[in-house]
Amino acid sequence: MGETLLVRYCEEDQDPGIAEQNREHERRKALKEQYRAAYKAANPTAKSVRLTDEQKKASEYTQIGARYRLRLETAGADIDVGLDEMLGLTNLREGATVILYPRITYDERLPADQRAPQTPTPKQLLYGPKVRIERIVVERNDHGEAVQAFVEVEWQQQIGGAWSYGFVFATASEDRPLVDGMLYTLDPDINDIYGYWCMVTTKALSEAVAAGDSETNTLYSRLSNPQAGYVEWDERSGEGQARFYGGLEALHVLSAHEMPQFEESKHAYIAYHGDDPVLLVQGPPGTGKSYSTAFAIFARMQGAMSAERPFRVFISCKTHAATDVLLENVRLVQDRLRHIHEHYPDLFARYFDPRLLDADLFRVAPRQPVVGVINLSKEADKEKGEDKNADTIIRSMWCVVASTPGHIYGMVKAGWGSKALFGHYFCDLLVLDEASQMNIPEAVMAALPLKPTGQLIVVGDHRQMAPIVKHSWDNEPKRTFKEYKTYRSLFVTLLEQEPPPPMIKFAESFRLHSAMAEFLRREIYSKDGIRYHSNKMAVLPVFEHADPFVAAVLAPEYPIVVVVHDEAESQTRNPFERELIAPVLEALSDSAMYALDARHGLGVVVPHRAQRADMQTEFPQLRVLDPETGSVLLSAVDTVERFQGGERTAVVYSATESDRDYLLAAGKFLYDPNRLTVAISRAKEKMILVASRSVFSLFSPDEEAFTNAQLWKDLLRRTCVVPLWEGERDGVHVEVWGNEM
């Protein structure tokens, strides 16, 4: 399933000092066991073992910080796979914290002659030592095939215990030395320090509310009492905000190239709504929500400057990657303002406040330093006496602070302690982006510093991928879960409020071809009253193809193509679809033809990791390798979840599933309309959907699956109705259909 990697510790693979250190740890471990055995023999009734200071000094050691090079193994896996396929199957990546544990264990409570080999239990893994994957190094032959691979890991500080309420488990064997030649496993770390932070915040909030202080967290206050919110935003503030947008319009009149015209909804977003306690912004695919949000932030900052008030903006997303995307757009808009100041000084002086150019941009605890902004390190990494992040931010009168919810929690905790999380307000505007993936406890964490008179802007799109959960909440019997629905996204929660908060809905996409946008408008966004559209008409260039099937699939006059086949025996891996689209992918990646690369040109979307691994192995030309380590930096083939937020010139979606019984049992996954919406909306010029006829003809007794399957049927029977090619491929009947012009 790709959840576990098999690795072997070999002394010959280690740096000499590391191997020697591990042997010394083994000697000290054996000595400690001798001391303990001797103590128990001398004190048979003692409840615990006590060693002398000299014995402790002679037998103590630590693995923390030690870096080991582990050899990746394929022998012993449940399925016969090569190294490339194994690496494509796993979701374990550099930077991930994993559990390192022996592949085979023994019940050490039994006498040695009675111990039988066994697979570690889940409970044993919970208490296993944690290591971080630092690098994955792959040795390749002249054909680019992996012949050997190593996973370099660093032993981590082991934390956990009863204090975490079951979110983080203390390690029982943190310093156990590695054994030469022994096979180990790397498993995803189920410990959830992020969940623990959410729990601490939620618990403290519950206690505050029980004590009668329901307004201690601004976000919670506005969720529980939507009409009670108030924003400090006077007439001068509103005038300054509107003047900012007036400058953008004036620049558009001077040069449409310098500043394109904003659609009406973006006009309202940037120029108005500064006094709304909560503003909901729905941004369908490709509508420029991050770029528009950056302008909206500076417009509101200018409004505060007009009233001579400090204005600190926090922008926060669930992931570091999404946070960096929004921050980059903020930086680009500030650079655009500097450009206007330099090239249109009279216009700038009339409409814009020059203090905007010097507003600080902060990034809290980035994974990699962000260029062009002030990077603030983690609180735990600061030197003694160094300013805390909250102090640095509070000293800035006008600034934008980018941080994930967890690091906002860490900032407040470092400043005032975990027992005093509430009541420390230094944020005037909180922007939560990608809020359709952020649950309520996360949002409450992000809102810790939001002033009671500050504004909350929630940006997202509930028609795209929601938070990933592994529980059927719809069938959850507990009344409290049904009542509070804390597992749901903040965006959906606000959308269902009565009355709902003011809402901005973007309509124009700057990514998709107009035909793709029209399909999504009719089938998806019309439900929200959004006239989703695109004026983009760019298509693939014209090339001659000897294969009529490839020519039909890549016909540029049909931006949407559905390839239907009669293969019906596949579940999470479909070799027929892989071979069917092989010539199409070869043509699209051919440097003499379309020359689409893996970074920006070509995307191959699949629902399952097994299909991803299969296709990544078969199409090595669709990947980018790290020249230093040989590992895969980027592949054109990936799952829907990992493509969200990205875009490609052409996208091929391999539906993979074709077995009717499997579709009936697991169809909710494939038929999820959000999944298809994301897949279709990644493409700019060409969208190719490859699926079995069973996907379009399945009649599910499950009401939700039946309804969702209609979207697929409408794509084939209402949109792609032009027959382009029909014939056999590898003995299987195949049809190619293009969208109606």
CSV table of all heavy atoms in Angstrom, one decimal, residues 95-141:
chain,number,residue,atom,x,y,z
A,95,GLY,N,12.2,15.1,5.0
A,95,GLY,CA,11.6,15.9,6.0
A,95,GLY,C,10.5,15.3,6.8
A,95,GLY,O,10.1,15.9,7.9
A,96,ALA,N,10.1,14.1,6.4
A,96,ALA,CA,9.0,13.4,7.2
A,96,ALA,C,9.6,12.7,8.4
A,96,ALA,O,10.7,12.2,8.4
A,96,ALA,CB,8.3,12.4,6.3
A,97,THR,N,8.8,12.8,9.5
A,97,THR,CA,9.2,12.0,10.7
A,97,THR,C,8.6,10.7,10.7
A,97,THR,O,7.4,10.6,10.4
A,97,THR,CB,8.8,12.8,12.0
A,97,THR,OG1,9.4,14.1,12.0
A,97,THR,CG2,9.2,12.0,13.3
A,98,VAL,N,9.4,9.6,10.9
A,98,VAL,CA,8.9,8.3,10.8
A,98,VAL,C,9.3,7.4,12.0
A,98,VAL,O,10.2,7.9,12.8
A,98,VAL,CB,9.4,7.6,9.5
A,98,VAL,CG1,8.8,8.3,8.3
A,98,VAL,CG2,10.9,7.6,9.4
A,99,ILE,N,8.7,6.3,12.1
A,99,ILE,CA,9.0,5.4,13.2
A,99,ILE,C,10.0,4.3,12.7
A,99,ILE,O,9.7,3.7,11.6
A,99,ILE,CB,7.8,4.6,13.8
A,99,ILE,CG1,6.8,5.7,14.3
A,99,ILE,CG2,8.2,3.6,14.8
A,99,ILE,CD1,7.3,6.5,15.5
A,100,LEU,N,11.1,4.2,13.3
A,100,LEU,CA,12.1,3.2,12.9
A,100,LEU,C,12.0,2.0,13.9
A,100,LEU,O,12.2,2.1,15.1
A,100,LEU,CB,13.5,3.8,13.0
A,100,LEU,CG,14.7,2.8,12.8
A,100,LEU,CD1,14.7,2.3,11.3
A,100,LEU,CD2,16.0,3.5,13.1
A,101,TYR,N,11.7,0.8,13.3
A,101,TYR,CA,11.5,-0.4,14.2
A,101,TYR,C,11.9,-1.6,13.5
A,101,TYR,O,11.9,-1.7,12.3
A,101,TYR,CB,10.0,-0.5,14.5
A,101,TYR,CG,9.7,-1.0,15.9
A,101,TYR,CD1,9.7,-0.2,17.0
A,101,TYR,CD2,9.5,-2.4,16.1
A,101,TYR,CE1,9.5,-0.6,18.3
A,101,TYR,CE2,9.2,-2.8,17.4
A,101,TYR,CZ,9.2,-2.0,18.5
A,101,TYR,OH,9.0,-2.4,19.7
A,102,PRO,N,12.4,-2.6,14.3
A,102,PRO,CA,12.8,-3.9,13.6
A,102,PRO,C,11.7,-4.5,12.9
A,102,PRO,O,10.5,-4.5,13.4
A,102,PRO,CB,13.3,-4.7,14.8
A,102,PRO,CG,13.7,-3.8,15.9
A,102,PRO,CD,12.7,-2.6,15.7
A,103,ARG,N,12.0,-5.1,11.8
A,103,ARG,CA,10.9,-5.8,11.0
A,103,ARG,C,10.4,-7.0,11.7
A,103,ARG,O,9.2,-7.3,11.6
A,103,ARG,CB,11.5,-6.2,9.6
A,103,ARG,CG,10.6,-7.1,8.8
A,103,ARG,CD,9.3,-6.3,8.3
A,103,ARG,NE,8.4,-7.1,7.6
A,103,ARG,CZ,7.4,-7.8,8.1
A,103,ARG,NH1,7.3,-7.8,9.4
A,103,ARG,NH2,6.6,-8.5,7.3
A,104,ILE,N,11.2,-7.7,12.4
A,104,ILE,CA,10.8,-8.9,13.2
A,104,ILE,C,11.2,-8.6,14.7
A,104,ILE,O,12.3,-8.2,15.0
A,104,ILE,CB,11.5,-10.1,12.7
A,104,ILE,CG1,11.1,-10.4,11.3
A,104,ILE,CG2,11.1,-11.3,13.6
A,104,ILE,CD1,9.6,-10.7,11.1
A,105,THR,N,10.2,-8.9,15.6
A,105,THR,CA,10.5,-8.7,17.0
A,105,THR,C,10.2,-10.0,17.7
A,105,THR,O,9.7,-11.0,17.2
A,105,THR,CB,9.6,-7.6,17.6
A,105,THR,OG1,8.2,-8.0,17.5
A,105,THR,CG2,9.8,-6.3,16.9
A,106,TYR,N,10.6,-10.0,19.0
A,106,TYR,CA,10.3,-11.2,19.9
A,106,TYR,C,9.8,-10.7,21.2
A,106,TYR,O,10.1,-9.6,21.7
A,106,TYR,CB,11.7,-12.0,20.1
A,106,TYR,CG,12.3,-12.5,18.8
A,106,TYR,CD1,13.1,-11.6,18.1
A,106,TYR,CD2,12.0,-13.7,18.4
A,106,TYR,CE1,13.7,-12.1,16.9
A,106,TYR,CE2,12.6,-14.2,17.2
A,106,TYR,CZ,13.5,-13.4,16.5
A,106,TYR,OH,14.0,-13.8,15.3
A,107,ASP,N,9.0,-11.6,21.9
A,107,ASP,CA,8.5,-11.2,23.2
A,107,ASP,C,9.6,-11.5,24.2
A,107,ASP,O,9.9,-12.6,24.6
A,107,ASP,CB,7.3,-12.1,23.5
A,107,ASP,CG,6.6,-11.7,24.8
A,107,ASP,OD1,7.2,-10.9,25.6
A,107,ASP,OD2,5.4,-12.1,25.0
A,108,GLU,N,10.2,-10.4,24.6
A,108,GLU,CA,11.4,-10.5,25.5
A,108,GLU,C,11.1,-10.8,26.9
A,108,GLU,O,12.0,-11.0,27.7
A,108,GLU,CB,12.2,-9.1,25.4
A,108,GLU,CG,12.7,-8.8,24.0
A,108,GLU,CD,13.5,-7.5,24.0
A,108,GLU,OE1,13.6,-6.8,25.0
A,108,GLU,OE2,14.1,-7.2,22.9
A,109,ARG,N,9.8,-11.0,27.2
A,109,ARG,CA,9.4,-11.4,28.5
A,109,ARG,C,9.5,-12.9,28.7
A,109,ARG,O,9.6,-13.4,29.8
A,109,ARG,CB,7.9,-11.0,28.8
A,109,ARG,CG,7.7,-9.5,28.8
A,109,ARG,CD,6.2,-9.2,28.9
A,109,ARG,NE,5.6,-9.6,27.6
A,109,ARG,CZ,4.3,-9.5,27.4
A,109,ARG,NH1,3.5,-8.8,28.3
A,109,ARG,NH2,3.7,-9.9,26.3
A,110,LEU,N,9.6,-13.6,27.6
A,110,LEU,CA,9.7,-15.1,27.6
A,110,LEU,C,11.2,-15.5,27.6
A,110,LEU,O,12.1,-14.7,27.2
A,110,LEU,CB,9.1,-15.7,26.3
A,110,LEU,CG,7.6,-15.4,26.1
A,110,LEU,CD1,7.2,-16.0,24.8
A,110,LEU,CD2,6.8,-16.1,27.3
A,111,PRO,N,11.5,-16.7,28.1
A,111,PRO,CA,12.9,-17.2,28.1
A,111,PRO,C,13.3,-17.2,26.6
A,111,PRO,O,12.5,-17.4,25.7
A,111,PRO,CB,12.7,-18.6,28.7
A,111,PRO,CG,11.5,-18.6,29.5
A,111,PRO,CD,10.6,-17.6,28.8
A,112,ALA,N,14.6,-17.1,26.4
A,112,ALA,CA,15.2,-17.0,25.0
A,112,ALA,C,14.8,-18.2,24.2
A,112,ALA,O,14.5,-18.0,23.0
A,112,ALA,CB,16.7,-16.9,25.1
A,113,ASP,N,14.7,-19.4,24.7
A,113,ASP,CA,14.4,-20.6,23.9
A,113,ASP,C,13.0,-20.7,23.5
A,113,ASP,O,12.6,-21.5,22.7
A,113,ASP,CB,14.9,-21.8,24.6
A,113,ASP,CG,14.3,-22.0,26.0
A,113,ASP,OD1,13.7,-21.1,26.5
A,113,ASP,OD2,14.3,-23.1,26.5
A,114,GLN,N,12.1,-19.8,24.1
A,114,GLN,CA,10.7,-19.9,23.9
A,114,GLN,C,10.2,-18.7,23.0
A,114,GLN,O,9.0,-18.6,22.7
A,114,GLN,CB,9.9,-19.9,25.2
A,114,GLN,CG,10.2,-21.1,26.1
A,114,GLN,CD,9.4,-21.0,27.3
A,114,GLN,OE1,8.3,-20.3,27.4
A,114,GLN,NE2,9.8,-21.7,28.4
A,115,ARG,N,11.1,-17.8,22.6
A,115,ARG,CA,10.7,-16.7,21.8
A,115,ARG,C,10.5,-17.0,20.3
A,115,ARG,O,11.4,-17.7,19.7
A,115,ARG,CB,11.8,-15.6,22.0
A,115,ARG,CG,11.9,-15.0,23.4
A,115,ARG,CD,13.1,-14.0,23.5
A,115,ARG,NE,13.3,-13.6,24.9
A,115,ARG,CZ,14.3,-12.9,25.3
A,115,ARG,NH1,15.2,-12.4,24.4
A,115,ARG,NH2,14.4,-12.6,26.6
A,116,ALA,N,9.4,-16.6,19.8
A,116,ALA,CA,9.1,-16.8,18.4
A,116,ALA,C,9.1,-15.5,17.6
A,116,ALA,O,8.6,-14.5,18.2
A,116,ALA,CB,7.8,-17.5,18.2
A,117,PRO,N,9.6,-15.5,16.4
A,117,PRO,CA,9.5,-14.2,15.6
A,117,PRO,C,8.1,-13.8,15.3
A,117,PRO,O,7.2,-14.6,15.1
A,117,PRO,CB,10.3,-14.6,14.3
A,117,PRO,CG,10.2,-16.1,14.2
A,117,PRO,CD,10.1,-16.6,15.6
A,118,GLN,N,7.9,-12.5,15.4
A,118,GLN,CA,6.6,-11.9,15.1
A,118,GLN,C,6.7,-10.5,14.5
A,118,GLN,O,7.7,-9.9,14.7
A,118,GLN,CB,5.7,-11.9,16.4
A,118,GLN,CG,6.3,-10.9,17.4
A,118,GLN,CD,5.6,-10.9,18.8
A,118,GLN,OE1,5.0,-11.9,19.2
A,118,GLN,NE2,5.6,-9.8,19.4
A,119,THR,N,5.6,-10.2,13.8
A,119,THR,CA,5.5,-8.8,13.3
A,119,THR,C,5.2,-7.8,14.4
A,119,THR,O,4.4,-8.2,15.3
A,119,THR,CB,4.4,-8.7,12.2
A,119,THR,OG1,4.8,-9.6,11.1
A,119,THR,CG2,4.3,-7.3,11.7
A,120,PRO,N,5.9,-6.7,14.5
A,120,PRO,CA,5.6,-5.7,15.6
A,120,PRO,C,4.1,-5.4,15.6
A,120,PRO,O,3.4,-5.2,14.6
A,120,PRO,CB,6.4,-4.5,15.2
A,120,PRO,CG,7.5,-5.0,14.3
A,120,PRO,CD,6.9,-6.2,13.6
A,121,THR,N,3.6,-5.2,16.8
A,121,THR,CA,2.2,-4.9,16.9
A,121,THR,C,2.0,-3.3,16.8
A,121,THR,O,3.0,-2.6,16.9
A,121,THR,CB,1.7,-5.2,18.4
A,121,THR,OG1,2.4,-4.4,19.3
A,121,THR,CG2,1.9,-6.7,18.6
A,122,PRO,N,0.8,-2.9,16.4
A,122,PRO,CA,0.6,-1.4,16.3
A,122,PRO,C,1.0,-0.7,17.6
A,122,PRO,O,1.5,0.4,17.5
A,122,PRO,CB,-0.9,-1.3,16.1
A,122,PRO,CG,-1.2,-2.6,15.4
A,122,PRO,CD,-0.4,-3.6,16.0
A,123,LYS,N,0.8,-1.3,18.8
A,123,LYS,CA,1.1,-0.6,20.0
A,123,LYS,C,2.6,-0.5,20.1
A,123,LYS,O,3.1,0.6,20.6
A,123,LYS,CB,0.6,-1.4,21.2
A,123,LYS,CG,0.8,-0.8,22.6
A,123,LYS,CD,0.2,-1.5,23.7
A,123,LYS,CE,0.4,-0.8,25.0
A,123,LYS,NZ,-0.2,-1.5,26.2
A,124,GLN,N,3.4,-1.5,19.7
A,124,GLN,CA,4.9,-1.4,19.7
A,124,GLN,C,5.3,-0.2,18.8
A,124,GLN,O,6.2,0.5,19.2
A,124,GLN,CB,5.5,-2.7,19.3
A,124,GLN,CG,5.4,-3.8,20.3
A,124,GLN,CD,6.0,-5.1,19.8
A,124,GLN,OE1,5.6,-5.6,18.7
A,124,GLN,NE2,7.0,-5.6,20.5
A,125,LEU,N,4.7,-0.1,17.7
A,125,LEU,CA,5.1,0.9,16.7
A,125,LEU,C,4.8,2.3,17.3
A,125,LEU,O,5.6,3.3,17.1
A,125,LEU,CB,4.4,0.8,15.4
A,125,LEU,CG,4.8,-0.4,14.6
A,125,LEU,CD1,4.0,-0.5,13.3
A,125,LEU,CD2,6.3,-0.4,14.2
A,126,LEU,N,3.7,2.4,18.1
A,126,LEU,CA,3.4,3.7,18.7
A,126,LEU,C,4.5,4.2,19.6
A,126,LEU,O,4.8,5.4,19.7
A,126,LEU,CB,2.1,3.6,19.5
A,126,LEU,CG,0.7,3.6,18.8
A,126,LEU,CD1,-0.4,3.4,19.8
A,126,LEU,CD2,0.6,4.9,18.0
A,127,TYR,N,5.2,3.3,20.3
A,127,TYR,CA,6.2,3.6,21.2
A,127,TYR,C,7.6,3.5,20.6
A,127,TYR,O,8.6,3.5,21.3
A,127,TYR,CB,6.1,2.8,22.5
A,127,TYR,CG,4.8,3.1,23.3
A,127,TYR,CD1,3.7,2.3,23.1
A,127,TYR,CD2,4.8,4.1,24.1
A,127,TYR,CE1,2.5,2.5,23.8
A,127,TYR,CE2,3.6,4.4,24.9
A,127,TYR,CZ,2.5,3.6,24.7
A,127,TYR,OH,1.3,3.9,25.4
A,128,GLY,N,7.7,3.3,19.3
A,128,GLY,CA,9.0,3.2,18.6
A,128,GLY,C,9.7,4.5,18.5
A,128,GLY,O,9.1,5.6,18.6
A,129,PRO,N,11.0,4.4,18.3
A,129,PRO,CA,11.8,5.6,18.2
A,129,PRO,C,11.5,6.4,16.9
A,129,PRO,O,11.2,5.8,15.9
A,129,PRO,CB,13.3,5.1,18.2
A,129,PRO,CG,13.2,3.7,17.7
A,129,PRO,CD,11.9,3.2,18.3
A,130,LYS,N,11.6,7.7,17.0
A,130,LYS,CA,11.3,8.6,15.8
A,130,LYS,C,12.6,9.1,15.2
A,130,LYS,O,13.5,9.6,15.9
A,130,LYS,CB,10.4,9.7,16.3
A,130,LYS,CG,9.1,9.3,17.0
A,130,LYS,CD,8.4,10.5,17.7
A,130,LYS,CE,7.3,10.0,18.6
A,130,LYS,NZ,7.8,9.3,19.8
A,131,VAL,N,12.6,9.0,13.9
A,131,VAL,CA,13.7,9.6,13.1
A,131,VAL,C,13.1,10.4,12.0
A,131,VAL,O,12.0,10.3,11.6
A,131,VAL,CB,14.6,8.5,12.5
A,131,VAL,CG1,15.2,7.6,13.6
A,131,VAL,CG2,13.8,7.6,11.5
A,132,ARG,N,13.9,11.4,11.5
A,132,ARG,CA,13.5,12.2,10.4
A,132,ARG,C,14.3,11.8,9.1
A,132,ARG,O,15.5,11.6,9.2
A,132,ARG,CB,13.8,13.7,10.7
A,132,ARG,CG,13.2,14.6,9.6
A,132,ARG,CD,13.4,16.1,10.0
A,132,ARG,NE,14.8,16.5,10.1
A,132,ARG,CZ,15.3,17.0,11.2
A,132,ARG,NH1,14.5,17.2,12.3
A,132,ARG,NH2,16.6,17.3,11.3
A,133,ILE,N,13.5,11.7,8.0
A,133,ILE,CA,14.2,11.4,6.8
A,133,ILE,C,14.9,12.7,6.3
A,133,ILE,O,14.3,13.7,6.0
A,133,ILE,CB,13.2,10.9,5.7
A,133,ILE,CG1,12.5,9.6,6.2
A,133,ILE,CG2,13.8,10.7,4.4
A,133,ILE,CD1,11.4,9.1,5.3
A,134,GLU,N,16.2,12.6,6.2
A,134,GLU,CA,17.0,13.8,5.8
A,134,GLU,C,17.2,13.7,4.3
A,134,GLU,O,17.1,14.8,3.6
A,134,GLU,CB,18.4,13.8,6.5
A,134,GLU,CG,18.3,13.9,8.0
A,134,GLU,CD,17.7,15.3,8.4
A,134,GLU,OE1,17.9,16.3,7.6
A,134,GLU,OE2,17.0,15.4,9.4
A,135,ARG,N,17.5,12.6,3.7
A,135,ARG,CA,17.8,12.5,2.3
A,135,ARG,C,17.4,11.1,1.8
A,135,ARG,O,17.5,10.1,2.5
A,135,ARG,CB,19.2,12.7,1.9
A,135,ARG,CG,19.7,14.1,2.0
A,135,ARG,CD,20.9,14.4,1.1
A,135,ARG,NE,21.9,13.4,1.2
A,135,ARG,CZ,23.0,13.3,0.4
A,135,ARG,NH1,23.1,14.2,-0.6
A,135,ARG,NH2,23.9,12.4,0.5
A,136,ILE,N,17.0,11.0,0.6
A,136,ILE,CA,16.8,9.7,-0.1
A,136,ILE,C,17.8,9.7,-1.3
A,136,ILE,O,17.7,10.6,-2.2
A,136,ILE,CB,15.4,9.5,-0.6
A,136,ILE,CG1,14.4,9.4,0.6
A,136,ILE,CG2,15.3,8.2,-1.4
A,136,ILE,CD1,13.0,9.3,0.2
A,137,VAL,N,18.8,8.8,-1.3
A,137,VAL,CA,19.8,8.8,-2.3
A,137,VAL,C,19.6,7.6,-3.2
A,137,VAL,O,19.5,6.4,-2.7
A,137,VAL,CB,21.2,8.8,-1.7
A,137,VAL,CG1,22.3,8.7,-2.8
A,137,VAL,CG2,21.4,10.0,-0.8
A,138,VAL,N,19.5,7.8,-4.5
A,138,VAL,CA,19.3,6.7,-5.4
A,138,VAL,C,20.4,6.5,-6.4
A,138,VAL,O,20.8,7.5,-7.1
A,138,VAL,CB,17.9,6.9,-6.2
A,138,VAL,CG1,17.6,5.7,-7.1
A,138,VAL,CG2,16.8,7.2,-5.2
A,139,GLU,N,21.0,5.4,-6.5
A,139,GLU,CA,22.0,5.1,-7.5
A,139,GLU,C,21.4,4.5,-8.7
A,139,GLU,O,20.6,3.5,-8.6
A,139,GLU,CB,23.1,4.1,-6.9
A,139,GLU,CG,23.8,4.7,-5.7
A,139,GLU,CD,24.8,3.7,-5.1
A,139,GLU,OE1,24.9,2.6,-5.7
A,139,GLU,OE2,25.4,4.0,-4.1
A,140,ARG,N,21.7,5.0,-9.9
A,140,ARG,CA,21.0,4.6,-11.1
A,140,ARG,C,22.0,4.2,-12.2
A,140,ARG,O,23.2,4.6,-12.2
A,140,ARG,CB,20.2,5.8,-11.7
A,140,ARG,CG,19.1,6.3,-10.7
A,140,ARG,CD,18.3,7.4,-11.3
A,140,ARG,NE,17.2,7.8,-10.4
A,140,ARG,CZ,16.1,7.2,-10.3
A,140,ARG,NH1,15.8,6.1,-11.0
A,140,ARG,NH2,15.2,7.6,-9.4
A,141,ASN,N,21.6,3.3,-13.1
A,141,ASN,CA,22.4,2.8,-14.1
A,141,ASN,C,22.4,3.8,-15.3
A,141,ASN,O,21.7,4.8,-15.2
A,141,ASN,CB,22.0,1.4,-14.5
A,141,ASN,CG,20.6,1.3,-15.0
A,141,ASN,OD1,20.0,2.3,-15.5
A,141,ASN,ND2,20.0,0.1,-15.0
